[in-house]
Amino acid sequence: MVVPRPTAPCPTAPCPTTPRRAARALAGLLAGAGVAHFAVPRPFDAIVPRALPGSPRTWTHVSGAAELALAACVALPRTRRVGALAAAGFFAAVYPANVKMARDWHHRSAPLKALAYGRLPLQLPLVGWALYVAKRAEGRG
């Protein structure tokens, strides 16, 4: 008699919940950031590149609203793929604000400078995370 070995829940392939969890976490990150743009806008106003027309507060609110919309799209399975692709583009588009923050913080203390410069390479994993979610979204073509 052969006794089956106990196996991990997903021994040979990624767990089916992993893409779902990644999508939920991405949606949560986007939603949290979007809410922060409205709840505490001043830090976001400060990193809006000066080259953009209009008031920094307007750009802060627009980017916050975009993050909330992206969060909703990523959270819903029917719109997850397009929402995650748009989130990847969004993460790339806001990179100049992170560069501005790093340049503006050159006179700050070493830990704050490290934070500002440390954010720069973190944008790439965010793009990758969004692309991962898009690639594994249900109903993709």
Side-chain angles (χ1 to χ4, degrees):
M1 177 167 124
V2 177
V3 177
R5 294 183 326 173
T7 60
C10 308
T12 59
C15 288
T17 58
T18 300
R20 204 170 324 146
R21 285 182 184 161
R24 287 179 183 156
L26 180 60
L29 174 86
L30 288 162
V35 167
H37 280 69
F38 291 96
V40 251
R42 288 183 70 192
F44 299 101
D45 294 346
I47 64 171
V48 172
R50 289 180 202 94
L52 292 175
S55 101
R57 182 61 52 91
T58 299
W59 286 104
T60 295
H61 286 160
V62 166
S63 63
E67 285 175 312
L68 290 170
L70 291 169
C73 287
V74 171
L76 299 170
R78 291 183 74 179
T79 56
R80 183 166 293 152
R81 183 175 185 274
V82 71
L85 288 172
F90 179 83
F91 291 142
V94 298
Y95 188 75
N98 293 342
V99 171
K100 180 185 184 307
M101 178 182 172
R103 293 183 72 195
D104 287 351
W105 285 23
H106 74 279
H107 64 284
R108 302 269 178 117
S109 67
L112 289 177
K113 278 195 281 195
L115 174 72
Y117 283 101
R119 286 183 61 174
L120 297 177
L122 292 179
Q123 214 64 16
L124 190 59
L126 289 174
V127 171
W129 183 7
L131 292 175
Y132 169 84
V133 168
K135 184 176 181 181
R136 283 156 182 81
E138 295 174 16
R140 66 181 190 273

